[in-house]
Amino acid sequence: MIAAIAAAGWWGSARWTLILSVPLLGLALYDALQRHHSLRRNYPLIARVRWLFEALRPFLYAYVVESPLDGRPFARTERDLVYARAKGDLDSHPFGTELDVYSDEYEWMSHSMAPTMTTDRARRVTVGNSQCARPYEAALLNISAMSFGSLGANAIQALNRGARLGGFYHDTGEGGFSPYHRIHGGDIVWELGSGYFGCRDEAGRFDPGRFAATAQDDQVRMIEIKLSQGAKPGHGGVLPGPKVSAEIAATRGVPAGMDCISPAAHSAFSTPVELVEWAAKLRDLAGGKPVGIKLCVGQPHEIYAVMKAMIETGIRLDYIVVDGAEGGTGAAPVEFSNRVGMPLREGLIFVRNALVGCGLKEEVRLAASGKVHSGAGLAVNCALGADWSNAARAFMFSLGCVQSLQCHTDRCPTGVATQHPGRQRGLVVEDKAERVRRFQAATVGALWDITCAMGLETPWQIMPHHLHERLNSARSDSIDRIYKFYERGVLLDDPGSVASARYWAMARADSFRAAL
């Protein structure tokens, strides 16, 4: 009897061993015979362990290895700050800074021995010059451009509802003004890229009639002409046909199921003069609403060319948004993300100098967009010349983004950057909208706290000399002693005296190409 039981147990064990071994042996044989992977051909079956750990590596690093100050593009401490403020949790930090204050990456704002007690924290930025019939009062922090298509419907709704609750604007991105932007009625900045989505004819050219019909909607508060973006400046884009759903097609005004192409360049203009003239036309078609441009600075003379076009024609843009090369929420070629475009600090200073040097800063507002997530980041942008700031990824964190870096795969685990209905289900609009509102309010509040600590009345009084930066472990200086900040009108009165004189000489109002 005992022998029979033992034999039965042995046979059962052997049977399962056989059942498991046969497919593994088959897989090993396939690996040995296939011709595409050298490791699998030389080390059948065993080499597959490498791919397993490659797949797990990002998650193991993020949750096991990564320190609070590590992590790219955003460190754990940066993400945690957004999460805490979005949830309404405690956002203070114990036991002093963890930053290396003698590192050459360290910077600080100068506080005062006589802090102010400013209570009027509701002040906003008036956008719109004398040529604009319907100026807009912008908040100090707003939602930067993220398209429906890049983000899912629930994410768009939550962002817009949060913007309405908090009284700040929501940039549509170049993907158009979708039905999901309209549901909750938050202020909209309608971005027009080279694809003219939502206002294009059958050939993909700009359609004035379609534009006017949407731009005059009361929810649309400003128009933004996208010239380039930080993630991939100077590069067009293609949304593959299978991803162009009926909803996306209707929003963008393109055929469903066919490739949706954003050219690298605009077809509505080809020179700086034509650009500002087109901006004036858009302002008229929109019923007098502010019109501006967004760009990542590339060739410096082109910025000066736009300045010369405004001076020559008398037409003024209402605002300019500078996007840093470190910005970007969408997928982009690695070479463009890493090596094309000017970082925000240099780009913002250059555009600020162009406006001030041409005597235009009082008429043309300046905004900054690129990796801002805290009140300190807002203060730095103000010191460099920004009137307000926009953020994209920080608001994605407020929605629950965990920086899984799956935005381009349609497999976003938190339902933010995906069109998959099952994944989007996890993002509850009402809950996340409140998180968006809380994050924006707490971050702007932190900016006002810093402003008061500096002894100033408003953030617009923060100047370059208030910001200090380390040059090395032994030396530091204020930012105005590291970078050049131009005096008003110097480019008109004495252009040869400035460091960028050669770019001013190269700039032409009638062409983006350099004068040789």
Side-chain angles (χ1 to χ4, degrees):
M1 184 66 177
I2 295 174
I5 293 173
W10 176 85
W11 169 244
S13 177
R15 182 176 58 181
W16 280 109
T17 301
L18 185 64
I19 291 172
L20 293 174
S21 297
V22 168
L24 291 176
L25 287 171
L27 190 58
L29 181 62
Y30 172 78
D31 284 349
L33 296 177
Q34 58 82 35
R35 296 174 176 270
H36 299 293
H37 296 281
S38 300
L39 282 176
R40 283 164 52 195
R41 188 173 174 86
N42 290 339
Y43 306 97
L45 196 59
I46 298 173
R48 289 181 176 267
V49 176
R50 176 178 182 271
W51 276 270
L52 172 64
F53 280 98
E54 275 197 344
L56 293 175
R57 181 180 179 276
F59 305 102
L60 293 173
Y61 184 82
Y63 294 108
V64 179
V65 179
E66 182 180 288
S67 81
L69 298 178
D70 289 338
R72 291 290 186 270
F74 286 80
R76 166 61 64 181
T77 52
E78 295 170 332
R79 305 196 306 268
D80 284 347
L81 177 62
V82 178
Y83 297 147
R85 287 179 171 169
K87 295 175 185 177
D89 292 344
L90 185 67
D91 63 355
S92 56
H93 183 77
F95 224 61
T97 182
E98 295 181 54
L99 301 177
D100 180 0
V101 298
Y102 296 101
S103 162
D104 57 10
E105 295 182 358
Y106 188 72
E107 60 190 18
W108 68 93
M109 309 301 298
S110 301
H111 67 283
S112 170
M113 290 192 293
T116 55
M117 300 296 291
T118 301
T119 56
D120 180 14
R121 297 190 172 198
R123 296 182 63 173
R124 300 166 75 88
V125 184
T126 301
V127 187
N129 54 54
S130 60
Q131 299 173 0
C132 176
R134 299 173 63 182
Y136 175 66
E137 299 293 323
L140 281 160
L141 176 62
N142 304 278
I143 301 171
S144 194
M146 294 181 283
S147 301
F148 170 57
S150 294
L151 301 191
N154 285 7
I156 293 294
Q157 286 193 65
L159 289 171
N160 193 258
R161 181 182 171 91
R164 181 178 64 80
L165 293 173
F168 49 97
Y169 76 66
H170 180 192
D171 193 313
T172 64
E174 68 173 312
F177 185 23
S178 76
Y180 301 105
H181 288 98
R182 301 172 187 264
I183 292 173
H184 300 287
D187 287 354
I188 285 293
V189 171
W190 184 16
E191 183 179 271
L192 297 186
S194 57
Y196 308 117
F197 298 129
C199 59
R200 57 188 271 149
D201 61 19
E202 289 72 14
R205 296 183 298 258
F206 174 70
D207 186 317
R210 292 183 178 179
F211 170 80
T214 300
Q216 293 184 24
D217 187 309
D218 288 340
Q219 191 181 349
V220 177
R221 308 306 296 268
M222 299 198 294
I223 307 299
E224 183 175 284
I225 303 168
K226 175 193 167 186
L227 301 179
S228 59
Q229 66 184 89
K232 47 183 177 181
H235 189 278
V238 177
L239 186 64
K243 291 187 176 182
V244 183
S245 66
E247 275 188 324
I248 292 174
T251 297
R252 299 194 177 196
V254 299
M258 297 181 64
D259 288 353
C260 181
I261 299 173
S262 297
H266 280 262
S267 59
F269 60 87
S270 60
T271 70
V273 166
E274 290 176 1
L275 167 60
V276 298
E277 289 176 343
W278 189 55
K281 178 181 178 181
L282 294 181
R283 189 159 49 204
D284 291 340
L285 291 171
K289 296 176 181 178
V291 176
I293 60 174
K294 182 187 87 171
L295 77 164
C296 176
V297 178
Q299 298 190 34
H301 76 272
E302 295 177 347
I303 302 298
Y304 285 156
V306 174
M307 301 298 128
K308 288 185 175 182
M310 285 194 281
I311 293 169
E312 183 176 302
T313 62
I315 297 170
R316 301 291 186 261
L317 298 170
D318 291 299
Y319 66 96
I320 297 175
V321 177
V322 179
D323 200 10
E326 63 270 46
T329 55
V334 174
E335 293 86 352
F336 278 77
S337 291
N338 290 348
R339 299 298 178 187
V340 180
M342 193 177 289
L344 178 61
R345 174 162 298 185
E346 286 79 3
L348 185 58
I349 292 173
F350 191 88
V351 177
R352 177 263 179 209
N353 283 343
L355 290 170
V356 172
C358 290
L360 297 172
K361 183 64 171 64
E362 294 82 4
E363 299 178 274
V364 184
R365 294 298 189 185
L366 182 59
S369 175
K371 212 177 176 182
V372 65
H373 73 285
S374 69
L378 297 180
V380 168
N381 288 345
C382 288
L384 301 181
D387 295 302
W388 78 90
S389 295
N390 296 335
R393 287 170 292 185
F395 279 105
M396 290 175 69
F397 293 140
S398 75
L399 292 175
C401 166
V402 294
Q403 194 170 276
S404 65
L405 306 183
Q406 298 295 311
C407 312
H408 60 303
T409 67
D410 204 38
R411 296 196 298 270
C412 171
T414 57
V416 176
T418 179
Q419 300 301 312
H420 191 283
R423 295 176 185 269
Q424 289 192 62
R425 178 182 174 278
L427 199 159
V428 180
V429 172
E430 293 74 17
D431 174 64
K432 296 302 189 287
E434 187 60 31
R435 292 190 180 198
V436 169
R437 182 200 66 78
R438 280 195 294 257
F439 163 68
Q440 193 270 356
T443 305
V444 172
L447 168 62
W448 280 101
D449 289 344
I450 291 173
T451 301
C452 292
M454 297 172 69
L456 305 175
E457 297 292 335
T458 76
W460 300 286
Q461 293 176 337
I462 302 175
M463 295 291 128
H465 67 266
H466 291 123
L467 173 61
H468 288 254
E469 183 176 288
R470 281 214 167 275
L471 302 174
N472 54 50
S473 61
R475 293 187 62 237
S476 65
D477 213 334
S478 60
I479 205 77
D480 62 325
R481 302 288 297 272
I482 299 173
Y483 295 92
K484 297 294 184 182
F485 287 81
Y486 295 177
E487 297 294 329
R488 188 181 190 282
V490 68
L491 288 172
L492 303 179
D493 301 333
D494 189 14
S497 66
V498 300
S500 59
R502 63 187 178 116
Y503 295 123
W504 179 259
M506 293 163 63
R508 303 162 48 189
D510 63 346
S511 177
F512 285 110
R513 301 293 175 248
L516 301 177

